[in-house]
């Protein structure tokens, strides 16, 4: 399947006149359409709510768009809580899912009346000691072992290995946590779990839902606790590669509904609210890294050097992740040149693509790197003294707005105190 940019070369050039490359650009129209499609897919559940994972794209302009579309936020740190608070998110519109949690982070979440998601059994006492036990509380589940999905000629498809994950509690610990929390005044409980990352399968969420719905029934029987909500978390991915199938969110929502009707309703638990936490699915396709070609290098391979680097998008360097590349204005040109597309970091893994077939490229070409709307800008860093890029919003009417300026050297030096070096 062909991957198409959400902006034209002319639109990119108009932005570049105001904002030098590199920068991340986001598509407001696409973001709103995705949020509406997700809400429609789960509209069968009266309490449904999407809690966008702030860590994926922590920008207030984007959070406000999602808020207008009925979304809450999932936070994992003190700063993310502060950002969400500044955007007007309060109380149950916030999930706080952290691990190895500092005292001040937990206290902030408690003070904001967020839905706190405990990662470990020991956090029950920790929460009581540093803040208090709220009436509504969530616990994170880890089933251990290997999570498989479906059967093919090669056997069951291994999706991930929860047993190797640092997150969550065993079922026995969940029972103990619920009983302790109930004794300390908790009245309403949530279940949260994340078993696989970036799945491109309509079967993942329904399979996860089945696991958590059956767990909910067992926990209710074992403890008598009222299960108020079940958070399916993230894991629904996007088709980074053109040949990958895209997830069908309507089919996914229907698959979860069937599990709900088969498992929870007969158990008298039809009032359970369903939550999701889809950072990547919500925003990745609606963000792009825009860069320009700076240099070429002809040695044992052909290299194209961009003015962006892994500090702007670290997924390829960190994970070997694939991000599709379009040369704007050359969408219909033959991809008959093989390049390694690189950045300028002093690291050999600073490559956006290796042996990628692309159109013949020239200095000044505008390069559109797809699907950077989640875990793109947010994973940036300052190694080699590189400065974080600007972020731009492509409005629904075709206009553009700067929603984060690029860093300057003054920002880089702001946390230093040079006074001792300049004393007379």
């Amino acid at each position: 399947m062909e991957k198409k940019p959400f902006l034209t070369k002319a639109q990119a050039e108009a932005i570049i006149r105001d904002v030098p490359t590199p920068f991340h650009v986001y598509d407001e129209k696409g973001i709103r359409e995705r949020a509406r499609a997700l809400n429609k897919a789960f509209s069968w559940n009266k309490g449904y709510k999407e809690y966008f994972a702030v860590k994926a794209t922590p920008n207030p302009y984007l959070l406000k768009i999602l808020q207008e579309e009925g979304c809450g936020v999932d936070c994992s740190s003190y700063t993310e809580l502060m950002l969400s608070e500044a955007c007007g998110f309060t109380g149950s519109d916030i999930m706080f899912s952290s691990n190895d949690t500092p005292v001040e982070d937990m206290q902030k979440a408690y003070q904001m009346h967020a839905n706190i998601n405990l990662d470990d059994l020991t956090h029950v006492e920790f929460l009581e000691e540093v803040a208090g036990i709220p009436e509504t509380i969530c616990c994170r589940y880890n089933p251990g072992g290997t999570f498989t999905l479906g059967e093919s000629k090669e056997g069951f498809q291994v999706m991930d290995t929860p047993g190797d994950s640092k997150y969550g509690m065993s079922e026995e610990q969940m029972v103990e946590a619920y009983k302790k929390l109930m004794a300390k005044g908790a009245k309403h409980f949530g279940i949260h779990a994340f078993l696989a990352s970036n799945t491109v399968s309509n079967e993942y969420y329904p399979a996860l839902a089945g696991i958590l719905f059956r767990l909910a029934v067992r926990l209710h029987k074992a403890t008598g606790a009222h299960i108020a909500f079940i958070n399916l978390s993230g894991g629904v991915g996007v088709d980074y590669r053109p040949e990958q199938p895209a997830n069908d969110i309507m089919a996914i929502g229907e698959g979860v509904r069937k599990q709900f009707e088969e498992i929870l309703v007969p158990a008298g638990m039809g009032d359970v609210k369903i939550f999701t936490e889809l950072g990547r699915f919500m925003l990745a396709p609606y963000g792009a890294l825009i860069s320009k070609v700076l240099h070429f290098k002809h040695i044992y391979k052909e290299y194209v050097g961009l003015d962006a680097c892994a500090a702007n998008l670290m997924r390829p360097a960190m994970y070997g992740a694939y991000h599709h590349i379009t040369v704007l204005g050359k969408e219909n040109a033959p991809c008959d040149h093989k390049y390694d597309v690189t950045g300028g970091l002093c690291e050999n893994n600073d490559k956006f693509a290796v042996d990628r077939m692309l159109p013949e490229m020239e200095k000044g070409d505008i390069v559109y790197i797809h699907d950077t709307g989640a875990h793109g800008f947010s994973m940036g860093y300052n190694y080699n003294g590189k400065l974080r890029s600007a972020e731009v919003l492509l409005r629904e009417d075709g206009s553009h707005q700067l929603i984060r300026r690029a860093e300057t050297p003054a920002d880089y030096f702001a946390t230093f105190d040079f006074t001792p070096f300049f004393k007379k």
Side-chain angles (χ1 to χ4, degrees):
M1 184 176 178
E2 184 182 1
K3 292 185 76 73
K4 296 182 178 180
F6 59 72
L7 84 172
T8 64
K9 182 181 179 183
Q11 288 176 309
E13 288 173 335
I15 298 173
I16 291 169
R17 285 194 288 271
D18 297 330
V19 184
T21 55
F23 57 79
H24 286 267
V25 60
Y26 306 95
D27 177 22
E28 179 183 7
K29 182 174 183 289
I31 294 168
R32 290 189 184 276
E33 289 176 349
R34 176 57 59 97
R36 291 167 189 173
L38 178 63
N39 284 322
K40 181 179 179 181
F42 286 88
S43 60
W44 54 266
N45 183 265
K46 292 182 180 179
Y48 172 73
K49 195 172 189 69
E50 157 64 13
Y51 288 84
F52 175 73
V54 175
K55 62 180 176 286
T57 324
N59 187 292
Y61 289 85
L62 303 179
L63 295 182
K64 290 298 288 186
I65 289 172
L66 293 169
Q67 185 182 48
E68 290 168 6
E69 297 297 336
C71 300
V73 287
D74 178 82
C75 301
S76 58
S77 70
Y78 189 94
T79 310
E80 289 181 356
L81 287 167
M82 289 180 65
L83 174 60
S84 299
E85 186 176 40
C87 292
F89 292 96
T90 58
S92 60
D93 285 339
I94 302 170
M95 283 288 300
F96 180 65
S97 301
S98 67
N99 66 95
D100 197 17
T101 311
V103 170
E104 55 271 22
D105 295 37
M106 192 69 87
Q107 290 174 337
K108 181 67 173 175
Y110 181 84
Q111 291 162 6
M112 293 177 66
H113 304 289
N115 287 329
I116 296 174
N117 183 22
L118 298 180
D119 183 63
D120 187 71
L121 177 60
T122 62
H123 289 184
V124 174
E125 284 76 17
F126 173 64
L127 176 59
E128 183 181 37
E129 177 185 343
V130 304
I133 302 298
E135 288 193 355
T136 299
I137 190 75
C138 184
C139 293
R140 188 168 186 170
Y141 174 59
N142 185 329
T146 300
F147 176 65
T148 58
L149 180 66
E151 190 172 13
S152 64
K153 294 179 181 178
E154 293 77 26
F156 285 96
Q157 179 186 5
V158 176
M159 300 298 288
D160 220 323
T161 52
D164 294 333
S165 169
K166 68 176 183 176
Y167 305 112
M169 311 179 201
S170 68
E171 183 169 344
E172 293 75 16
Q173 290 175 327
M174 293 278 285
V175 170
E176 185 177 350
Y178 275 29
K179 288 179 176 179
K180 286 184 175 181
L181 288 162
M182 290 173 70
K184 297 176 187 296
K187 297 180 180 179
H188 310 288
F189 292 83
I191 300 171
H192 177 286
F194 179 85
L195 302 189
S197 179
N198 192 39
T199 63
V200 187
S201 167
N202 293 336
E203 284 72 47
Y204 168 64
Y205 242 22
L208 172 64
I211 291 170
L212 297 187
F213 294 169
R214 284 186 284 271
L215 172 67
V217 173
R218 295 195 301 272
L219 287 175
H220 175 67
K221 288 181 178 179
T223 67
H226 171 236
I227 310 299
F229 64 85
I230 295 175
N231 190 329
L232 302 177
S233 68
V236 176
V238 298
D239 47 330
Y240 285 103
R241 295 177 180 270
E243 66 272 16
Q244 285 182 302
N247 279 314
D248 181 343
I249 197 60
M250 294 304 296
I252 290 171
E254 176 61 14
V256 174
R257 187 196 66 78
K258 288 180 179 178
Q259 295 281 8
F260 188 94
E261 296 290 339
E262 291 173 7
I263 300 169
L264 290 180
V265 171
M269 299 172 68
D271 64 334
V272 172
K273 299 175 182 179
I274 302 301
F275 297 161
T276 57
E277 190 183 293
L278 296 173
R280 190 192 311 267
F281 178 79
M282 292 296 287
L283 250 72
Y286 308 110
L289 176 59
I290 305 298
S291 183
K292 277 188 176 182
V293 174
L294 282 183
H295 298 288
F296 291 90
K297 186 169 184 174
H298 315 285
I299 46 172
Y300 308 106
K301 301 180 77 173
E302 294 295 308
Y303 294 94
V304 176
L306 305 184
D307 59 6
C309 66
N312 305 114
L313 177 65
M314 73 181 298
R315 295 187 71 254
M318 186 175 185
Y319 304 119
Y322 180 96
H323 280 265
H324 200 62
I325 293 174
T326 296
V327 184
L328 295 182
K330 297 184 178 180
E331 290 87 345
N332 298 319
C335 295
D336 53 5
H337 283 63
K338 183 187 290 187
Y339 297 110
D340 279 16
V341 182
T342 76
L345 287 186
C346 297
E347 295 291 337
N348 196 45
N349 67 350
D350 182 19
K351 297 178 180 179
F352 296 110
V354 176
D355 293 333
R356 187 74 60 87
M357 298 304 296
L358 293 163
E360 183 175 10
M361 296 168 73
E362 306 166 79
K363 286 185 179 181
D365 274 347
I366 301 172
V367 174
Y368 178 108
I369 302 179
H370 292 251
D371 302 318
T372 72
H375 311 289
F377 177 94
S378 64
M379 296 178 76
Y381 51 95
N382 288 127
Y383 180 61
N384 268 183
K386 296 294 186 180
L387 303 175
R388 291 179 178 87
S389 73
E391 292 182 290
V392 178
L393 181 64
L394 181 66
R395 289 291 190 183
E396 289 185 288
D397 63 4
S399 64
H400 63 268
Q401 179 180 0
L402 183 68
I403 59 174
R404 188 196 300 262
R405 67 165 175 81
E407 287 184 337
T408 67
D411 296 314
Y412 183 84
F413 288 110
T415 53
F416 294 122
D417 180 7
F418 286 99
T419 306
F421 303 105
F422 296 101
K423 288 182 179 179
K424 294 183 179 179

